[in-house]
Amino acid sequence: MSATPQRNRRARRLTLAALAVTAGAGAMVAAALPAGAASGGGAAKSRTVDVQLLSFNDFHGTLEAPQGSSGTVTERQADGTTKAIPAGGVEYLATGLREARKGHEYSVTAAAGDMIGGSPMLSGLFHDEPTVEALNKLKLDVTSVGNHEFDEGKAELRRMAYGGCHPVDGCFESGKEYTGAEFKYLAANVTDEKTKRPMLNPTFIWQKGDVKIGFIGVTLEGTPDVVTADGVKGLKFGDEVETINKYAAELNKQGVKSIVALIHEGGLPASGAYNYDCDVPSAGAGVSGAIVDIAKNVDPKVDALVTGHTHQAYACNIPDPAGNPRMVTSAASYGRLFTDTTLTYDRQTKDIVRTAAVAPKPVNKIVSRDLPKAPDMTELITRWNALAAPVASRPMGFISADIAGRGSEAPEKPLGDLIADAQLEATAPAAKGGAQLAIMNPGGIRADLAYKAAGAEGDGVVTYGESYTVQPFNNLMNIVDLTGAQLITALQQQVSGTVNGPNPKILQVSKGFTYTLDMTKTGADRIVVDSVKLNGAAIDPAKTYRVAMNEFLAGGGDGFTVLKDHKNKLVGVPDLEAFNAYLAKSTEASPIAPPAADRITVVK
């Protein structure tokens, strides 16, 4: 079932009248604290104490500093201009978090999912064991699952959490067995279809002395829409708000009044700058998307929402249903930012103080590469790189300049065109499927291709490690029959429906396939049907076309439900193999230039 209609019904069920009963149950301290209640000073224990909450999201196994534009954050300057600042890399993230913790007696570190999955080769080649090891060293306390935690299925996720060597590839380091996560993975809204029980812990209680904070972790209800069917087989994903409210009530019964929800679902700020004030002109006015509806309906018992999934940066105050100020944060992705929030804990009420005067104050901080590298993370990266080197350092091809992919905010990405062309070339021969065009989901492009060498390979050389980082899922190519009408519907589903209407996902297309995208219109009308052409000829709705795509798209992933209705499927090579074969045609004397990205005409 799609998420939006369910949320509309939920909004009617969760009326303010029903929630008002809970608002007085410790959701905030309505009256001013008595004189002397502030923390600090005197031998007696103060009534309130500041708890530091450090948080991040969507790390995706990015241990080394990400390359290209996906390795920068946008900073708004005082004069209104913006500046791109290099950021990210676990060596710097570790230093940033450790420095931030200094002087804070009470500090907890939490994350909002997608810690693993879609990872660069350094982590992905080893089924993300290096990332979990790094997160253990970072002293992460707790994280929700995200959709990418399910990329390899529920059994592999449990192995990530609890340890044990890989059932096929075995143990990667001689004499060492993978020991699992030292932090808690939470999956409150992910239940086993047979047992009806959560597949992992739904909640976690962090405690230091007499201070207790409860965490509830959920992933987006629409996870099955963005993960392969095998990855979520046997699992049911429940409504985020209903789940959070259920477990908030249970934590309250256990005497835990301070609650943070870790939600792998997010919003879209009006600006891409990490330091944009999304509370102007009013609280939460500068952010939109699924998280807004969630925030407005989560019980006032919950004191803060740490979010993710959209890879955006924001720190907003979206008031809870009782009107109390409540922070909603996200720290972009790839470890480029972390959020530092002060929660004022009242020992008498055991709750977080949330008044207009004493509201939680979140700040997103850059993981600057000017920070000193953490030696233990350098050692970790060096050790795993040595294991990966024989495979990762192999040259695949040559490029003449940066080719933007994940780091591009344009609907059509140069690297998207390159990947689609590679897929078409691999599947066009009659014996390979006879494809006439190829389409690629933008979310499957995980990085940029950078011209500058990351190691000793030389500028312009694309290594296997770099191509793997761009295409890490190893999805098999599917070559299928679609009618022209179905193809047009697929284009319309990019910009309409409950999945892609609020946040369009523009398919990357192979050479010869062109059309106009009119963003001044709404929904399916954004696709100018008469403009859709293949090699200059208008698409005939009644004609059948051979179309290449990865198996995720062929299964209807990312909201492209019409693609499931294909016929005459032929399974081809893995997408990474197709990409590498295309790169291999280039030479140092004749490198691949960035495609012009002129196949989709965008009207703004």
Side-chain angles (χ1 to χ4, degrees), residues 158-182:
R158 287 196 179 101
R159 188 183 76 86
M160 285 285 98
Y162 301 125
C165 293
H166 192 271
V168 176
D169 295 334
C171 300
F172 296 112
E173 293 187 284
S174 179
K176 289 185 181 180
E177 180 170 331
Y178 171 67
T179 56
E182 295 171 9

Side-chain angles (χ1 to χ4, degrees), residues 80-279:
T81 60
T82 57
K83 179 181 178 182
I85 299 177
V90 77
E91 294 163 294
Y92 309 105
L93 177 61
T95 299
L97 291 174
R98 290 164 184 171
E99 288 293 323
R101 291 180 187 127
K102 289 181 178 178
H104 293 272
E105 182 182 356
Y106 299 87
S107 183
V108 57
T109 303
D114 277 8
M115 295 295 97
I116 58 174
S119 304
M121 184 177 176
L122 178 59
S123 186
L125 188 65
F126 306 106
H127 299 278
D128 280 313
E129 290 181 21
T131 291
V132 175
E133 180 186 344
L135 295 173
N136 289 343
K137 290 178 180 292
L138 285 178
K139 300 299 182 186
L140 179 65
D141 291 293
V142 59
T143 182
S144 68
V145 295
N147 54 287
H148 279 282
E149 264 80 14
F150 295 93
D151 282 347
E152 296 188 49
K154 63 182 180 182
E156 176 64 2
L157 175 53
R158 287 196 179 101
R159 188 183 76 86
M160 285 285 98
Y162 301 125
C165 293
H166 192 271
V168 176
D169 295 334
C171 300
F172 296 112
E173 293 187 284
S174 179
K176 289 185 181 180
E177 180 170 331
Y178 171 67
T179 56
E182 295 171 9
F183 50 92
K184 291 292 184 184
Y185 254 125
L186 305 183
N189 68 329
V190 186
T191 54
D192 187 288
E193 287 182 342
K194 291 182 179 179
T195 67
K196 312 299 182 186
R197 300 180 64 181
M199 68 158 291
L200 294 170
N201 291 326
T203 63
F204 166 72
I205 299 172
W206 176 86
Q207 181 170 4
K208 182 167 183 179
D210 60 350
V211 176
K212 288 183 182 180
I213 297 179
F215 290 86
I216 305 166
V218 299
T219 186
L220 68 153
E221 183 185 11
T223 291
D225 295 328
V226 292
V227 177
T228 60
D230 284 345
V232 295
K233 188 176 181 180
L235 298 173
K236 182 178 179 181
F237 293 78
D239 182 275
E240 304 96 334
V241 171
E242 289 177 359
T243 303
I244 292 168
N245 290 351
K246 170 187 172 181
Y247 285 105
E250 290 194 11
L251 285 170
N252 263 221
K253 288 177 183 177
Q254 297 174 47
V256 179
K257 306 296 183 182
S258 298
I259 300 172
V260 175
L262 307 175
I263 310 170
H264 192 70
E265 177 62 288
L268 302 167
S271 167
Y274 82 93
N275 55 341
Y276 161 71
D277 187 352
C278 48
D279 288 329

